[in-house]
Amino acid sequence: MAGIYVHIPFCKSKCSYCDFASFPDKIGFAESYMACVYREISKRAKELENYNFETLYIGGGTPSVIDESLIAMLIAAVKKHLRLSGNAEITIEMNPGTVSASKIETYLKCGVNRFSVGLQTAIDSQLADLGRIHNLKEFLLSAKLLKGRNFSVDVMIGLKGQTEEDVIKTIDTACEAGAKHISMYALTPEDGTPIYTDYLNGELPDGDETAALYDAGVKRLKELGFGRYEVSNFCKKGYESRHNLNYWRRGEYIGFGVAASSCIKDVRFTNTYDLDEYFKCILSDNFAVKSVDKIEGQDIEDEFIMLALRTARGICLEEYTSLFKRDFLEKYSEQLKKTEKYLETDGGFVRIREEYLFVQNGVIIEFLGQ
């Protein structure tokens, strides 16, 4: 399986926690930027001619902030130059503050069949504290426009002043609005972002408090019929994100645009984070790749284990043996004994027990570098 990611680095304003490549002050360059993305796609066509891509994910930034015609042309360029499966999952990220009926109509006409909506929290004061440009009412209006469609909602935990009741209210709001998929992830205060000051001042929940918020969210999602298939991702049966599953199963993917990452034939490469440099490279008929990393040997095995143990499916023992020509239970017998409290082995799989998934890093690290 292979996927395509396209990065749209524009937004109306930068959220207080955002550490992504996004440029709220350069949206006027959107048309020129997209022209460069179309050109980058055409330049990669020859080397990717044998790939059949099953997913296309348009992320950001805020893809829904640019004119919808540019998205339509993007999807047309992908279909023209690359082989996109007839039943491909095509996802676009949307901020509720930038959604309109005409945009959604255009997205649907050009093939978008999955929407990822950034709610984060149903508490307006918390949205304002995060620097989000929307409120709860705007989310509900967006959800109404998406009624009957396949859409996912982002929920953030670990916010200043957030309670378990706030998390449950946010999940209930997303579910009642019709979400088939919910991504619930913890706020990560990165150095250099405005919210990092709150972290330094001790104004954000600590690890134990965030874990309690997560547990409350997991319990409520389960009650509402959402199954957890990865530590931060929950869905109604059959609504898993195929694009994200490809990442977790070490599938190949190609990225286009500023800061977009790719992994083809165990070579990972990432485009420049600098918008001006991206323009200069593409317009000079060059690629904008900034870093290249060949993944080999034990690193491949480590990555396989790390990604698999993040999922509810866990490590498929047969798949491990097929890839690495050895027995997982035999090679990692000491690690398995050391972490047996946190693991379960059945049906040919080794997985982290459900109650320990949120703290999976402490378990996973025991298996790396062996």
Side-chain angles (χ1 to χ4, degrees):
M1 182 174 172
I4 302 166
Y5 175 79
V6 180
H7 190 70
I8 313 294
F10 306 109
C11 49
K12 282 191 173 180
S13 66
K14 207 168 179 72
C15 298
S16 64
Y17 57 87
C18 182
D19 192 40
F20 299 127
S22 60
F23 312 106
D25 57 336
K26 296 185 178 180
I27 195 169
F29 293 98
E31 191 169 345
S32 299
Y33 174 80
M34 294 307 293
C36 286
V37 171
Y38 309 151
R39 187 166 181 170
E40 185 185 11
I41 292 169
S42 68
K43 281 174 58 62
R44 290 279 184 199
K46 181 65 178 176
E47 68 184 274
L48 299 170
E49 62 183 357
N50 294 324
Y51 283 83
N52 183 46
F53 294 98
E54 296 185 25
T55 66
L56 166 61
Y57 193 102
I58 306 167
T62 308
S64 55
V65 78
I66 67 174
D67 192 278
E68 57 267 37
S69 66
L70 298 174
I71 299 296
M73 287 188 281
L74 167 64
I75 296 173
V78 168
K79 291 179 176 179
K80 177 182 177 181
H81 296 290
L82 304 175
R83 191 188 307 164
L84 191 62
S85 172
N87 67 338
E89 174 190 271
I90 303 178
T91 305
I92 187 167
E93 291 182 348
M94 302 195 306
N95 183 302
T98 63
V99 175
S100 68
S102 63
K103 283 184 179 178
I104 291 175
E105 183 180 359
T106 298
Y107 298 155
L108 292 169
K109 283 182 178 178
C110 62
V112 174
N113 50 28
R114 187 175 181 276
F115 300 83
S116 179
V117 186
L119 169 58
Q120 314 308 347
T121 171
I123 312 301
D124 279 341
S125 60
Q126 291 170 5
L127 288 171
D129 190 54
L130 290 173
R132 300 290 292 176
I133 63 168
H134 69 89
N135 55 31
L136 176 59
K137 182 179 179 181
E138 287 171 310
F139 166 77
L140 295 174
L141 289 172
S142 299
K144 188 175 181 180
L145 293 173
L146 292 171
K147 187 176 181 180
R149 305 293 178 183
N150 177 13
F151 73 94
S152 173
V153 169
D154 287 346
V155 172
M156 188 178 286
I157 59 173
L159 309 182
K160 184 163 62 175
Q162 190 177 43
T163 65
E164 293 182 15
E165 290 72 23
D166 294 338
V167 173
I168 291 169
K169 178 182 177 180
T170 301
I171 289 169
D172 286 348
T173 298
C175 183
E176 290 166 9
K180 301 292 194 299
H181 183 288
I182 291 177
S183 295
M184 182 176 69
Y185 54 96
L187 168 67
T188 303
E190 300 288 353
D191 191 2
T193 61
I195 210 164
Y196 194 70
T197 302
D198 293 342
Y199 167 70
L200 293 177
N201 291 337
E203 296 179 30
L204 300 179
D206 62 24
D208 289 341
E209 291 168 331
T210 300
L213 294 173
Y214 177 81
D215 288 342
V218 170
K219 180 180 178 182
R220 185 56 179 155
L221 284 161
K222 191 172 184 178
E223 291 171 349
L224 294 171
F226 285 78
R228 176 169 53 181
Y229 67 100
E230 192 268 346
V231 62
S232 300
N233 287 271
F234 308 74
C235 68
K236 294 296 181 81
K237 189 174 181 179
Y239 285 93
E240 294 87 353
S241 165
R242 288 161 55 193
H243 187 80
N244 286 340
L245 281 173
N246 183 52
Y247 289 144
W248 297 322
R249 293 176 182 172
R250 287 204 78 251
E252 295 180 283
Y253 52 93
I254 186 73
F256 298 104
V258 167
S261 291
S262 306
C263 189
I264 300 292
K265 292 181 170 56
D266 287 321
V267 176
R268 183 176 291 113
F269 49 99
T270 303
N271 283 349
T272 176
Y273 279 62
D274 186 285
L275 187 61
D276 291 336
E277 186 177 3
Y278 178 77
F279 279 134
K280 182 179 179 180
C281 290
I282 300 300
L283 293 175
S284 299
D285 209 28
N286 296 311
F287 289 122
V289 175
K290 192 69 174 177
S291 64
V292 180
D293 180 28
K294 172 68 176 173
I295 312 166
E296 52 192 354
Q298 186 61 42
D299 289 341
I300 294 177
E301 189 171 334
D302 285 351
E303 192 172 89
F304 174 87
I305 292 170
M306 177 186 66
L307 293 171
L309 286 179
R310 283 185 60 88
T311 68
R313 176 177 182 261
I315 295 170
C316 173
L317 298 177
E318 184 179 338
E319 189 176 322
Y320 174 88
T321 299
S322 175
L323 287 170
F324 304 109
K325 312 306 178 190
R326 59 179 70 97
D327 183 274
F328 181 85
L329 300 181
E330 182 179 312
K331 178 177 179 180
Y332 293 96
S333 59
E334 290 184 17
Q335 290 79 11
L336 289 165
K337 186 174 182 180
K338 186 175 181 180
T339 58
E340 61 183 347
K341 170 186 174 182
Y342 307 99
L343 299 174
E344 60 183 20
T345 304
D346 67 81
F349 290 85
V350 173
R351 63 179 66 89
I352 295 177
R353 296 181 188 276
E354 187 175 6
E355 61 267 33
Y356 297 113
L357 257 181
F358 187 61
V359 291
Q360 89 284 14
N361 288 342
V363 179
I364 292 172
I365 199 169
E366 296 291 339
F367 293 86
L368 305 184
Q370 302 301 318

PDB file of all heavy atoms in Angstrom, residues 62 69 74 96 157 165 171 175 198 234 241 310 338:
ATOM      1  N   THR A  62      -3.885  24.889   7.137  1.00  0.00           N
ATOM      2  CA  THR A  62      -5.335  24.791   6.990  1.00  0.00           C
ATOM      3  C   THR A  62      -5.680  24.739   5.506  1.00  0.00           C
ATOM      4  O   THR A  62      -5.838  25.792   4.865  1.00  0.00           O
ATOM      5  CB  THR A  62      -6.041  25.996   7.644  1.00  0.00           C
ATOM      6  OG1 THR A  62      -5.579  26.152   8.990  1.00  0.00           O
ATOM      7  CG2 THR A  62      -7.549  25.805   7.647  1.00  0.00           C
ATOM      8  N   SER A  69     -10.992  26.060  -5.597  1.00  0.00           N
ATOM      9  CA  SER A  69     -10.599  25.704  -6.963  1.00  0.00           C
ATOM     10  C   SER A  69      -9.159  25.186  -7.008  1.00  0.00           C
ATOM     11  O   SER A  69      -8.806  24.342  -7.842  1.00  0.00           O
ATOM     12  CB  SER A  69     -10.744  26.908  -7.899  1.00  0.00           C
ATOM     13  OG  SER A  69      -9.831  27.943  -7.551  1.00  0.00           O
ATOM     14  N   LEU A  74      -5.494  20.587  -7.601  1.00  0.00           N
ATOM     15  CA  LEU A  74      -4.517  19.696  -6.991  1.00  0.00           C
ATOM     16  C   LEU A  74      -4.905  18.238  -7.216  1.00  0.00           C
ATOM     17  O   LEU A  74      -4.074  17.419  -7.647  1.00  0.00           O
ATOM     18  CB  LEU A  74      -4.430  19.981  -5.489  1.00  0.00           C
ATOM     19  CG  LEU A  74      -3.693  18.936  -4.642  1.00  0.00           C
ATOM     20  CD1 LEU A  74      -2.221  18.857  -5.045  1.00  0.00           C
ATOM     21  CD2 LEU A  74      -3.836  19.237  -3.161  1.00  0.00           C
ATOM     22  N   PRO A  96     -13.070  24.640  11.259  1.00  0.00           N
ATOM     23  CA  PRO A  96     -14.465  25.084  11.203  1.00  0.00           C
ATOM     24  C   PRO A  96     -14.648  26.560  10.881  1.00  0.00           C
ATOM     25  O   PRO A  96     -15.697  26.964  10.375  1.00  0.00           O
ATOM     26  CB  PRO A  96     -14.996  24.763  12.605  1.00  0.00           C
ATOM     27  CG  PRO A  96     -14.140  23.637  13.063  1.00  0.00           C
ATOM     28  CD  PRO A  96     -12.776  23.921  12.511  1.00  0.00           C
ATOM     29  N   ILE A 157      -6.395  16.884  24.457  1.00  0.00           N
ATOM     30  CA  ILE A 157      -6.447  16.809  25.919  1.00  0.00           C
ATOM     31  C   ILE A 157      -5.159  17.407  26.502  1.00  0.00           C
ATOM     32  O   ILE A 157      -4.170  17.584  25.800  1.00  0.00           O
ATOM     33  CB  ILE A 157      -6.637  15.359  26.412  1.00  0.00           C
ATOM     34  CG1 ILE A 157      -5.480  14.460  25.927  1.00  0.00           C
ATOM     35  CG2 ILE A 157      -7.981  14.821  25.978  1.00  0.00           C
ATOM     36  CD1 ILE A 157      -5.500  13.067  26.518  1.00  0.00           C
ATOM     37  N   GLU A 165     -14.924  16.285  32.596  1.00  0.00           N
ATOM     38  CA  GLU A 165     -16.248  16.629  32.065  1.00  0.00           C
ATOM     39  C   GLU A 165     -16.121  17.378  30.736  1.00  0.00           C
ATOM     40  O   GLU A 165     -16.935  17.184  29.814  1.00  0.00           O
ATOM     41  CB  GLU A 165     -17.027  17.485  33.068  1.00  0.00           C
ATOM     42  CG  GLU A 165     -17.485  16.746  34.322  1.00  0.00           C
ATOM     43  CD  GLU A 165     -16.336  16.427  35.286  1.00  0.00           C
ATOM     44  OE1 GLU A 165     -15.283  17.122  35.227  1.00  0.00           O
ATOM     45  OE2 GLU A 165     -16.491  15.481  36.074  1.00  0.00           O
ATOM     46  N   ILE A 171     -16.232  14.995  23.301  1.00  0.00           N
ATOM     47  CA  ILE A 171     -16.461  13.724  22.603  1.00  0.00           C
ATOM     48  C   ILE A 171     -17.942  13.554  22.274  1.00  0.00           C
ATOM     49  O   ILE A 171     -18.305  13.170  21.154  1.00  0.00           O
ATOM     50  CB  ILE A 171     -15.953  12.556  23.464  1.00  0.00           C
ATOM     51  CG1 ILE A 171     -14.418  12.581  23.503  1.00  0.00           C
ATOM     52  CG2 ILE A 171     -16.459  11.220  22.933  1.00  0.00           C
ATOM     53  CD1 ILE A 171     -13.814  11.651  24.524  1.00  0.00           C
ATOM     54  N   CYS A 175     -19.544  13.194  18.529  1.00  0.00           N
ATOM     55  CA  CYS A 175     -20.347  12.009  18.198  1.00  0.00           C
ATOM     56  C   CYS A 175     -21.757  12.395  17.753  1.00  0.00           C
ATOM     57  O   CYS A 175     -22.256  11.920  16.730  1.00  0.00           O
ATOM     58  CB  CYS A 175     -20.395  11.077  19.404  1.00  0.00           C
ATOM     59  SG  CYS A 175     -21.287   9.538  19.096  1.00  0.00           S
ATOM     60  N   ASP A 198       2.971  28.735  29.277  1.00  0.00           N
ATOM     61  CA  ASP A 198       2.016  28.139  30.222  1.00  0.00           C
ATOM     62  C   ASP A 198       2.604  26.869  30.832  1.00  0.00           C
ATOM     63  O   ASP A 198       2.425  26.595  32.025  1.00  0.00           O
ATOM     64  CB  ASP A 198       0.701  27.804  29.508  1.00  0.00           C
ATOM     65  CG  ASP A 198      -0.046  29.048  29.058  1.00  0.00           C
ATOM     66  OD1 ASP A 198       0.249  30.129  29.579  1.00  0.00           O
ATOM     67  OD2 ASP A 198      -0.914  28.928  28.176  1.00  0.00           O
ATOM     68  N   PHE A 234      -9.678   6.495  17.252  1.00  0.00           N
ATOM     69  CA  PHE A 234     -10.863   5.716  17.582  1.00  0.00           C
ATOM     70  C   PHE A 234     -11.877   5.891  16.448  1.00  0.00           C
ATOM     71  O   PHE A 234     -11.967   6.972  15.859  1.00  0.00           O
ATOM     72  CB  PHE A 234     -11.493   6.221  18.884  1.00  0.00           C
ATOM     73  CG  PHE A 234     -10.530   6.319  20.036  1.00  0.00           C
ATOM     74  CD1 PHE A 234      -9.581   7.339  20.103  1.00  0.00           C
ATOM     75  CD2 PHE A 234     -10.567   5.390  21.063  1.00  0.00           C
ATOM     76  CE1 PHE A 234      -8.699   7.433  21.170  1.00  0.00           C
ATOM     77  CE2 PHE A 234      -9.679   5.483  22.129  1.00  0.00           C
ATOM     78  CZ  PHE A 234      -8.742   6.507  22.183  1.00  0.00           C
ATOM     79  N   SER A 241      -8.773   5.309   9.469  1.00  0.00           N
ATOM     80  CA  SER A 241      -8.082   6.125   8.467  1.00  0.00           C
ATOM     81  C   SER A 241      -7.097   5.229   7.716  1.00  0.00           C
ATOM     82  O   SER A 241      -6.086   4.794   8.267  1.00  0.00           O
ATOM     83  CB  SER A 241      -7.322   7.274   9.142  1.00  0.00           C
ATOM     84  OG  SER A 241      -6.381   7.840   8.239  1.00  0.00           O
ATOM     85  N   ARG A 310       2.117   0.630  18.774  1.00  0.00           N
ATOM     86  CA  ARG A 310       1.220   1.775  19.000  1.00  0.00           C
ATOM     87  C   ARG A 310      -0.229   1.420  18.678  1.00  0.00           C
ATOM     88  O   ARG A 310      -1.157   2.126  19.083  1.00  0.00           O
ATOM     89  CB  ARG A 310       1.626   2.967  18.121  1.00  0.00           C
ATOM     90  CG  ARG A 310       2.833   3.739  18.613  1.00  0.00           C
ATOM     91  CD  ARG A 310       3.084   4.964  17.741  1.00  0.00           C
ATOM     92  NE  ARG A 310       1.938   5.865  17.752  1.00  0.00           N
ATOM     93  CZ  ARG A 310       1.738   6.833  18.637  1.00  0.00           C
ATOM     94  NH1 ARG A 310       2.623   7.040  19.593  1.00  0.00           N
ATOM     95  NH2 ARG A 310       0.678   7.612  18.568  1.00  0.00           N
ATOM     96  N   LYS A 338      10.371  -9.133  30.854  1.00  0.00           N
ATOM     97  CA  LYS A 338      10.483  -7.899  31.636  1.00  0.00           C
ATOM     98  C   LYS A 338       9.212  -7.060  31.567  1.00  0.00           C
ATOM     99  O   LYS A 338       8.858  -6.364  32.527  1.00  0.00           O
ATOM    100  CB  LYS A 338      11.676  -7.085  31.129  1.00  0.00           C
ATOM    101  CG  LYS A 338      11.996  -5.846  31.949  1.00  0.00           C
ATOM    102  CD  LYS A 338      13.256  -5.170  31.447  1.00  0.00           C
ATOM    103  CE  LYS A 338      13.603  -3.946  32.276  1.00  0.00           C
ATOM    104  NZ  LYS A 338      14.836  -3.270  31.783  1.00  0.00           N
TER     105      LYS A 338
END
